[in-house]
Amino acid sequence: MGSSSSSYAPKTIYLDVDGKVQRVIFSRHCSPCDIKELLCSSSNIARNTAILLIDSEGALISIDPTMPANTPNNLYKVMPHSTNQGGEKEDMFQNVLSQVAEQFSRAFRINELKTEVTNRLAMLEKRVELEGLKVVEIEKCKNDLKKLRDEMTSRGGVRVNCNCKYNFTDDGKKLSPRRDVPSYPKYTLSQETIEALKKPTFDVWHWEHNEMLSCLEYMYHDLGLVKEFNINPITLKRWLLAIQENYRDNPFHNFRHCFCVSQMMYGMIHLCNLQERLTMTDMCILMTAAVCHDLDHPGYNNTYQINARTELAVRYNDISPLENHHCAVAFQILSMPECNIFANVEPESFKQLRQAIITLILATDMARHGEILDSFKQKVDNFDFTNEEHVKCLKMVLIKCCDISNEVRPTEVAEPWVDCLLEEYFMQSDREKSEGLPVAPFMDRDKVTKPTAQIGFIKFVLIPMFETVMKLFPQIEEIMVQPLRDSRDHYEELKQIDDAMSEAQKKKTESMSLGGKKK
């Protein structure tokens, strides 16, 4: 579980500063705030000034570790972004507190952390007094600083997570969850909720993060995984907290999507009676892979990573860069003793668990869809639950089904996910256009609609895959396959309506054009 030293290679950009070339070097793991400070300093601009980064053609460059590198012949220029001074004063306290949080994220040894925080807070308190701001504002800032001090004392040195969600830190350790276990409330699930959790009709939109964490915790207990693998219940809580903290707030690939996939896996285990056909180890592999399958997803797919030559694409040689990253983050979290739910598993058994979980997460790369489904089709008619390769292939197909199973759910639950996915697609295609990268038609806001986005996917990806699984588990037809057919019909009707409206609008436009010519 070590990391390559190449992942720490610094990035270099070149600036035009008063007609001279200024070279700026920064770590790829710097926060955007650190990079902005460095750019201000390099360009002789006052610290905390709002700035813009512009290329030689006048285009804006996003200031973050993934910004494209340039050359001395293609200089960037740093420009102050005009703001009013009143706004700067109002923002000062937030900036001060943000700086403190950033300092926390850099400290990994408790003694150094306490010393640095104490010195930093003392300096900030003195700075606030010297600003001569209104007494009320000063008192508010002091209270905020006091809360920070108290929080650090109460935590006894628990490390704080950084805004970038996940970093390969210098000592190879993942940062711990921001929230400690006592602040993770224990919810008692009603019998109605317990029964609903086992079904694909479960409404995933009605639950807060802590409630979803409690549901996931319940699944591990209910399936007997806590007992079978001698998982410390408190460690399970910490692990789930760390998992939730390491899903980003993307429109689609977020913690709620993680919960959706995990709940659908739990539902399929019950619906297909997998506990009677597979081992407890298989159950653990299926659930843990589902929980971890999109960890730290950046919101931009593999195609973007490869075309933009991002750090992830370079690190993983363009081979499933996101899925490889999800695996790496998953086992980085498990490498922390306080989050290692497999601490009591024998080394050889853990090795098997690890390999199987990696296999399943890598199977969620849609570029491998045809390969995996074809392999399963060759086995399904004579499927043998005692054949290790057959079971491995089944587990890969099951996690694929769960990963893209939204349209199995009722329309009122499924349709909002389409909006979320399109929002993430449009965010990517807009960035691709701005960076001069290829844009997939199904992600282009000017070319795609909800019906056109869904019809082909349901007809040619979802239904064939679920119908193949149905050969092995006929019981899924009514509750999983039929909803997919209904969803296909629903979007085809919507497309017919859209086409009719477009045709009517076209005729109206042509009629108005002809009327104008006659005059």
Side-chain angles (χ1 to χ4, degrees):
M1 294 194 292
S3 58
S4 169
S5 60
S6 63
S7 63
Y8 300 99
K11 176 174 280 191
T12 302
I13 63 170
Y14 298 87
L15 303 178
D16 176 359
V17 180
D18 299 327
K20 297 180 180 179
V21 177
Q22 175 70 50
R23 187 169 67 152
V24 178
I25 302 174
F26 57 90
S27 165
R28 293 174 186 270
H29 302 299
C30 282
S31 69
C33 290
D34 290 335
I35 297 174
K36 287 178 182 177
E37 250 186 66
L38 188 58
L39 293 177
C40 285
S41 175
S42 301
S43 303
N44 301 318
I45 295 174
R47 191 179 172 200
N48 292 331
T49 301
I51 59 171
L52 300 173
L53 187 61
I54 302 171
D55 68 12
S56 57
E57 296 179 358
L60 290 175
I61 306 295
S62 173
I63 302 176
D64 60 57
T66 66
M67 72 171 78
N70 61 341
T71 67
N73 297 322
N74 181 24
L75 300 177
Y76 292 160
K77 193 169 183 66
V78 179
M79 302 287 291
H81 185 55
S82 60
T83 57
N84 61 73
Q85 290 189 354
E88 290 178 353
K89 276 192 173 182
E90 292 172 4
D91 290 340
M92 185 187 68
F93 292 105
Q94 187 59 43
N95 289 336
V96 166
L97 295 177
S98 296
Q99 291 167 24
V100 174
E102 288 177 16
Q103 293 302 317
F104 287 173
S105 72
R106 294 174 187 156
F108 299 102
R109 297 180 181 85
I110 183 58
N111 291 334
E112 294 174 7
L113 176 63
K114 287 182 176 178
T115 301
E116 186 174 350
V117 169
T118 301
N119 293 340
R120 185 65 173 160
L121 290 175
M123 182 191 74
L124 290 173
E125 287 172 330
K126 183 177 180 180
R127 181 176 169 188
V128 168
E129 295 290 347
L130 294 174
E131 290 291 342
L133 300 176
K134 292 182 293 183
V135 173
V136 174
E137 292 175 328
I138 292 175
E139 288 303 315
K140 179 181 181 301
C141 189
K142 282 183 176 179
N143 288 336
D144 289 339
L145 293 168
K146 184 178 183 300
K147 286 178 183 177
L148 283 172
R149 284 182 183 274
D150 293 342
E151 185 178 351
M152 285 305 304
T153 302
S154 65
R155 290 190 178 196
V158 172
R159 291 169 291 189
V160 184
N161 213 350
C162 60
N163 292 331
C164 60
K165 284 290 182 187
Y166 181 83
N167 269 333
F168 285 98
T169 57
D170 289 342
D171 60 0
K173 294 291 184 182
K174 170 67 185 68
L175 301 182
S176 300
R178 283 195 291 267
R179 293 173 294 166
D180 204 357
V181 171
S183 65
Y184 170 9
K186 174 65 178 175
Y187 292 89
T188 303
L189 304 184
S190 68
Q191 193 58 39
E192 181 183 6
T193 297
I194 288 172
E195 290 305 313
L197 268 177
K198 299 174 182 177
K199 300 173 183 176
T201 52
F202 186 81
D203 190 343
V204 297
W205 294 105
H206 289 169
W207 307 87
E208 299 298 329
H209 280 181
N210 279 342
E211 295 170 322
M212 290 188 280
L213 287 167
S214 285
C215 288
L216 290 171
E217 184 183 357
Y218 170 81
M219 294 175 199
Y220 270 75
H221 281 279
D222 179 60
L223 291 172
L225 302 179
V226 173
K227 183 177 180 181
E228 177 71 17
F229 295 94
N230 195 16
I231 299 173
N232 183 323
I234 299 300
T235 303
L236 177 63
K237 286 177 178 285
R238 288 200 195 97
W239 176 70
L240 288 170
L241 279 172
I243 291 292
Q244 188 250 307
E245 292 285 354
N246 282 280
Y247 274 91
R248 301 193 194 189
D249 295 327
N250 298 315
F252 184 91
H253 290 100
N254 49 40
F255 179 65
R256 194 174 300 277
H257 168 67
C258 154
F259 177 71
C260 271
V261 175
S262 305
Q263 185 271 322
M264 187 63 74
M265 182 66 78
Y266 179 72
M268 289 196 78
I269 287 172
H270 284 282
L271 184 61
C272 301
N273 299 317
L274 293 179
Q275 287 169 293
E276 299 177 7
R277 316 295 293 273
L278 301 178
T279 66
M280 289 294 285
T281 297
D282 290 327
M283 299 296 102
C284 184
I285 290 164
L286 286 169
M287 287 302 302
T288 306
V291 169
C292 299
H293 84 284
D294 269 335
L295 275 167
D296 197 43
H297 195 297
Y300 300 93
N301 69 13
N302 279 332
T303 301
Y304 173 82
Q305 303 297 324
I306 294 167
N307 288 339
R309 301 177 185 174
T310 65
E311 181 186 352
L312 285 180
V314 171
R315 180 184 301 160
Y316 296 112
N317 304 308
D318 295 349
I319 301 170
S320 303
L322 289 182
E323 290 72 25
N324 273 295
H325 181 58
H326 306 325
C327 293
V329 177
F331 285 96
Q332 193 76 8
I333 293 171
L334 284 168
S335 73
M336 295 185 296
E338 65 269 30
C339 296
N340 185 9
I341 57 173
F342 300 129
N344 297 318
V345 174
E346 292 295 323
E348 189 58 34
S349 298
F350 174 75
K351 183 179 178 181
Q352 294 173 4
L353 279 171
R354 168 174 158 77
Q355 188 55 58
I357 290 168
I358 289 172
T359 297
L360 263 60
I361 294 177
L362 292 179
T364 61
D365 183 354
M366 286 302 294
R368 298 182 58 203
H369 176 78
E371 162 211 334
I372 293 170
L373 185 57
D374 286 346
S375 176
F376 183 65
K377 284 179 177 178
Q378 293 170 14
K379 299 173 176 63
V380 71
D381 291 331
N382 299 292
F383 196 86
D384 181 2
F385 279 94
T386 65
N387 185 309
E388 190 175 325
E389 279 302 312
H390 284 212
V391 172
K392 175 182 173 182
C393 191
L394 171 62
K395 288 187 291 187
M396 293 167 73
V397 170
L398 287 174
I399 195 169
K400 284 176 58 58
C401 286
C402 295
D403 188 24
I404 54 178
S405 62
N406 286 327
E407 291 301 330
V408 169
R409 301 183 186 274
T411 302
E412 63 273 16
V413 180
E415 196 155 353
W417 280 116
V418 183
D419 295 320
C420 293
L421 184 60
L422 288 178
E423 182 182 347
E424 197 165 295
Y425 280 174
F426 296 158
M427 186 172 69
Q428 174 172 321
S429 61
D430 289 347
R431 182 167 181 171
E432 287 169 332
K433 290 175 185 178
S434 71
E435 295 178 1
L437 299 174
V439 178
F442 69 89
M443 302 180 84
D444 192 334
R445 68 172 71 245
D446 300 322
K447 297 179 181 179
V448 71
T449 64
K450 283 170 71 170
T452 58
Q454 292 300 96
I455 292 171
F457 188 66
I458 296 170
K459 287 175 67 173
F460 303 115
V461 177
L462 290 177
I463 291 178
M465 181 167 65
F466 276 86
E467 285 182 341
T468 305
V469 175
M470 187 178 73
K471 291 181 179 181
L472 194 58
F473 305 109
Q475 61 266 45
I476 74 168
E477 179 170 18
E478 180 182 353
I479 198 167
M480 300 187 85
V481 178
Q482 190 55 46
L484 287 175
R485 295 166 179 159
D486 294 340
S487 180
R488 172 199 60 198
D489 296 342
H490 167 68
Y491 282 111
E492 285 183 336
E493 288 174 8
L494 287 181
K495 186 176 185 302
Q496 289 175 0
I497 294 171
D498 286 351
D499 290 345
M501 292 178 65
S502 297
E503 185 63 27
Q505 183 62 36
K506 181 180 177 183
K507 288 180 179 179
K508 182 179 178 181
T509 303
E510 289 175 350
S511 175
M512 291 176 64
S513 177
L514 288 172
K517 288 181 179 178
K518 288 179 181 179
K519 291 180 181 180

